[in-house]
Amino acid sequence: MKKVIYFSLLSVVIGVLLMGCGNDEVQPRAINEETDKCPVCNMSVMDNQFATQVVLEDGLSHVFDDLGCMYVWLDENPDEEIAATFVRDYNNEEWIRSEDAFYVYNMDVKTPMAYNMISFEDQASADEFIAENEGELIAADALADHDWQMNHEMMEGHGHEGDHGHGEMDSESHTEEGESTH
C-alpha cells in the first residue's frame, strides 16, 4: 500500500513539474517611463503603441521607442542571443510577438523616431487601417530587409535637424536626452 501511495504521489509531483516546464514562455516586461531609455536613440520609452522589446536568452530586455530603433539595434547586434521580440498592437497596445504581427508602412504615420511603421495583432486590423489611411502591408518576415530610414521631412517639420536622429518630440511623447547614436 505504501508503494502505491508513494508511486501516486511521485507521479503527481512529476506531472506538476512537467506542466511547469511548459510555462517558461518568454514574456515582455513592463515599461517604466521614468527610467527606460531606447538604447539606439537614447530617448525615453513611452508605454504606448509604438514601444517594442527584445528579450535576450539571458533574460535581459531592451525596450525601444520605435520599431525602427529595434531593427537598427538588431542589425547592429547580430551576435546577441535573442529569445523573443515583441511589438505593440497599434489599436489596443497589447504586446504581441513580432513574428505574429502584421505591419503597415505609411509615411504619414507619426512614430516617435519617424520610421513610419506600425504593428497590428491581426491582418484585418492592418487592412482596415490601410483602407482608411492608405499604406503598405509588410509581412513580419520582410522587416529585416526593410529600408529602415527615418522620415527626415517629418522630423524637420517638428523643428528637428534632419541628421541628429530625433523624431517627433512633444510633451506627450518624449523628452530630449542627448544626441542620437545613429
Side-chain angles (χ1 to χ4, degrees), residues 104-160:
V104 174
Y105 179 69
N106 178 315
M107 290 293 288
D108 294 325
V109 173
K110 295 178 182 176
T111 64
M113 294 304 295
Y115 285 103
N116 310 106
M117 183 82 69
I118 54 178
S119 48
F120 295 90
E121 65 183 338
D122 57 65
Q123 186 170 349
S125 297
D127 289 341
E128 182 179 329
F129 181 90
I130 291 170
E132 294 173 6
N133 304 284
E134 298 183 357
E136 176 185 356
L137 185 65
I138 307 280
D141 60 0
L143 290 178
D145 296 325
H146 179 71
D147 184 21
W148 290 102
Q149 296 294 317
M150 285 184 250
N151 181 341
H152 292 287
E153 284 182 28
M154 185 174 286
M155 290 169 38
E156 289 170 4
H158 289 91
H160 302 288

Side-chain angles (χ1 to χ4, degrees), residues 68-110:
C69 287
M70 182 174 84
Y71 272 88
V72 167
W73 186 90
L74 290 169
D75 188 52
E76 292 174 351
N77 295 279
D79 296 331
E80 290 289 348
E81 293 182 24
I82 297 168
T85 56
F86 296 93
V87 295
R88 287 273 181 77
D89 177 78
Y90 184 74
N91 293 324
N92 66 24
E93 299 183 14
E94 294 293 322
W95 287 112
I96 27 178
R97 284 188 174 258
S98 63
E99 67 269 15
D100 296 334
F102 296 85
Y103 300 89
V104 174
Y105 179 69
N106 178 315
M107 290 293 288
D108 294 325
V109 173
K110 295 178 182 176

Side-chain angles (χ1 to χ4, degrees), residues 6 13-14 18 47 53 61 65 68 72-73 96 104 113 119 124 127 142 161 165 170 178 180:
Y6 176 74
V13 169
I14 290 172
L18 289 175
D47 192 13
Q53 190 166 157
S61 287
D65 62 338
V72 167
W73 186 90
I96 27 178
V104 174
M113 294 304 295
S119 48
D127 289 341
E161 296 301 318
D170 58 29
S180 171

Side-chain angles (χ1 to χ4, degrees), residues 7 20 24 42 46 50-51 57 109 123 151 162 169-170 180 182:
F7 180 72
D24 287 341
N42 200 34
M46 303 305 291
F50 303 112
E57 287 290 340
V109 173
Q123 186 170 349
N151 181 341
M169 288 174 277
D170 58 29
S180 171
H182 52 248

Side-chain angles (χ1 to χ4, degrees), residues 12-46:
V12 170
V13 169
I14 290 172
V16 169
L17 289 174
L18 289 175
M19 286 184 350
C21 291
N23 293 332
D24 287 341
E25 184 176 328
V26 177
Q27 295 293 322
R29 69 170 176 81
I31 290 176
N32 182 336
E33 292 183 351
E34 293 181 20
T35 59
D36 282 333
K37 303 277 186 225
C38 176
V40 173
C41 66
N42 200 34
M43 301 298 290
S44 296
V45 178
M46 303 305 291

